[in-house]
């Protein structure tokens, strides 16, 4: 599938890998700005090599489980040395615990990799409601180029030099969104929700510091911003998982009726691996994990969090 529009100065050819809701929303943003857009999925009639041969930017909007396979497939394609990879996937690889950008950078060490993340519920972006996002890369020139391609009067884009922090912000908040859905599903009130989100952010910062990201990144759009969006919106699939678990449904029942993938489930499991390897205290994530595994009920998970040993708010 291809979108074409009238020529503009510095017009780019953008390939979107994946045809899900977020990929389509991003494609529309790029097309409205006058760039040429192509889609590719495993069901495409055209080969991946043919679609990417003239690409300036390749946007990976595929689910976490498909990132490595598609990256390896793309390695066999002839690519421009100037091509920029943009990843919008939010998750962690179960085998390596890598983020999507780390997978792309490992497979394409000489290419620029940019992370795009923020409080961007795809349905609202498709409705042309105003939103903001962040593009982050070690190559700030590449981040700036991507910023120009996506920025518009309804989609404000900032740059950031901390790609891992931006990526982790968008990834880790999915676990907290499951917890927030449980909180609302149990009708625990505003005080409890505020406490959960605040302590959840601290937990995200703790993980990010160990994994090499900057603390201040988590107080920006891809951390706090995305956390607020997904912890408060029924449009979030991860929030819906938590909310329906609180109502008594099993995880299997929820996933059978859920449109799309709730990446927070896999992320939670990989985070538990990381916490054990790195000795990171992540009590909210731990209770979400135990709930997803059927080891505790929502009420038991709440009790475990409320009855933890009392401590200072910040480590001295």
């Amino acid at each position: 599938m291809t979108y074409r529009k009238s020529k503009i100065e510095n017009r780019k050819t953008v390939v979107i890998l994946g045809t899900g809701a977020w990929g389509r929303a991003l494609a529309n943003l790029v097309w409205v700005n006058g760039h040429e857009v192509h889609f590719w999925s495993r069901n495409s009639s055209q080969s991946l090599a043919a679609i990417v041969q003239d690409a300036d930017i390749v946007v990976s909007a595929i689910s976490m489980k498909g990132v490595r396979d598609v990256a390896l497939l793309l390695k066999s394609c002839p690519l421009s040395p100037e091509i920029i990879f943009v990843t919008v996937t939010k998750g962690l690889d179960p085998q390596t615990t890598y983020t999507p950008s780390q997978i792309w950078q490992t497979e394409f060490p000489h290419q620029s990799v940019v992370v795009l993340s923020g409080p961007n519920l795809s349905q609202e972006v498709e409705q042309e409601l105003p939103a903001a996002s962040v593009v982050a890369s070690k190559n700030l020139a590449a981040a700036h180029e991507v910023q120009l391609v996506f920025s518009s009067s309804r989609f404000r884009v900032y740059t950031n030099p901390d790609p891992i922090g931006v990526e982790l912000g968008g990834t880790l908040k999915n676990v907290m969104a499951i917890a927030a859905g449980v909180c609302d599903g149990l009708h625990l009130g505003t005080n409890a929700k505020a406490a959960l989100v605040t302590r959840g952010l601290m937990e995200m910062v703790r993980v990010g510091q160990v994994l090499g990201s900057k603390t201040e990144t988590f107080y920006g759009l891809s951390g706090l911003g995305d956390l607020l969006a997904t912890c408060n919106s029924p449009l979030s699939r991860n929030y819906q998982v938590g909310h329906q678990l609180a109502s008594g449904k099993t995880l299997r029942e929820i996933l059978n009726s859920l449109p799309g993938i709730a990446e927070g489930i896999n992320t939670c499991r990989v985070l538990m691996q990381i916490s054990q390897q790195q000795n990171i205290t992540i009590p909210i994530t731990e209770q979400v994990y135990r709930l997803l595994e059927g080891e505790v009920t929502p009420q038991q998970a709440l009790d475990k969090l409320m009855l933890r040993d009392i401590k200072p708010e910040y480590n001295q």
Side-chain angles (χ1 to χ4, degrees):
M1 186 187 304
T2 300
Y3 290 174
R4 290 189 174 89
K5 209 171 184 182
S6 59
K7 288 188 177 295
I8 61 167
E9 186 179 351
N10 201 25
R11 186 172 187 248
K12 301 294 183 184
T13 297
V14 180
V15 173
I16 310 285
L17 306 178
T19 56
W22 189 215
R24 294 195 306 271
L26 290 171
N28 190 56
L29 289 171
V30 173
W31 176 75
V32 166
N33 283 346
H35 302 285
E36 184 172 325
V37 184
H38 303 266
F39 280 102
W40 179 86
S41 73
R42 293 185 183 276
N43 297 322
S44 296
S45 57
Q46 195 172 9
S47 72
L48 179 58
I51 289 178
V52 300
Q53 64 179 347
D54 297 319
D56 299 299
I57 295 173
V58 172
V59 179
S60 173
I62 52 185
S63 63
M64 186 66 233
K65 66 180 181 180
V67 171
R68 185 174 297 279
D69 288 345
V70 172
L72 291 173
L73 185 61
L74 201 57
K75 283 184 73 174
S76 64
C77 302
L79 300 171
S80 163
E82 304 300 319
I83 201 167
I84 297 173
F85 292 106
V86 179
T87 173
V88 302
T89 305
K90 297 177 178 180
L92 295 169
D93 180 57
Q95 280 71 47
T96 62
T97 73
Y98 280 2
T99 66
S101 75
Q102 288 174 320
I103 293 174
W104 284 105
Q105 201 69 81
T106 298
E107 301 301 334
F108 297 92
H110 305 298
Q111 311 290 153
S112 295
V113 176
V114 177
V115 175
L116 186 152
S117 185
N120 305 143
L121 296 163
S122 58
Q123 187 171 325
E124 291 190 0
V125 173
E126 284 189 299
Q127 292 171 352
E128 301 189 2
L129 296 174
S133 197
V134 178
V135 288
S137 179
K138 294 178 180 178
N139 182 343
L140 283 178
H144 179 64
E145 190 166 327
V146 175
Q147 179 187 40
L148 293 176
V149 168
F150 283 95
S151 293
S152 70
S153 60
R154 62 186 174 91
F155 195 72
R156 183 170 176 81
V157 182
Y158 295 82
T159 58
N160 187 301
D162 179 21
I164 296 301
V166 166
E167 196 166 33
L168 286 174
T171 294
L172 303 183
K173 57 83 191 176
N174 281 333
V175 178
M176 302 308 157
I178 295 174
V182 173
C183 184
D184 285 349
L186 292 177
H187 306 289
L188 300 181
T190 303
N191 291 339
K193 180 79 167 288
L196 172 70
V197 172
T198 304
R199 295 308 300 175
L201 179 60
M202 293 298 296
E203 201 163 297
M204 291 165 57
V205 168
R206 198 177 302 134
V207 173
Q209 287 173 334
V210 172
L211 298 183
S213 54
K214 298 179 180 179
T215 298
E216 58 266 31
T217 299
F218 290 89
Y219 297 102
L221 287 168
S222 73
L224 178 59
D226 207 355
L227 184 67
L228 291 174
T230 51
C231 286
N232 289 293
S233 176
L235 295 176
S236 164
R237 291 187 291 269
N238 295 285
Y239 174 95
Q240 278 296 333
V241 168
H243 200 280
Q244 292 182 52
L245 282 170
S247 71
K249 290 187 178 180
T250 66
L251 184 59
R252 183 186 293 263
E253 289 172 337
I254 295 167
L255 296 181
N256 285 340
S257 61
L258 194 71
I261 297 171
E263 292 284 11
I265 297 170
N266 174 68
T267 297
C268 185
R269 291 167 178 157
V270 180
L271 268 181
M272 291 302 296
Q273 295 178 38
I274 294 172
S275 72
Q276 292 164 7
Q277 294 165 359
Q278 304 282 355
N279 194 28
I280 311 172
T281 302
I282 48 173
I284 297 173
T285 301
E286 181 181 351
Q287 292 308 315
V288 171
Y289 172 79
R290 296 189 67 199
L291 178 60
L292 292 172
E293 295 297 310
E295 297 175 5
V296 295
T297 66
Q299 186 61 50
Q300 287 170 334
L302 170 66
D303 292 342
K304 285 283 187 181
L305 290 172
M306 293 299 292
L307 296 175
R308 294 179 70 237
D309 291 343
I310 54 177
K311 54 177 279 190
E313 183 175 18
Y314 298 103
N315 292 329
Q316 302 300 315

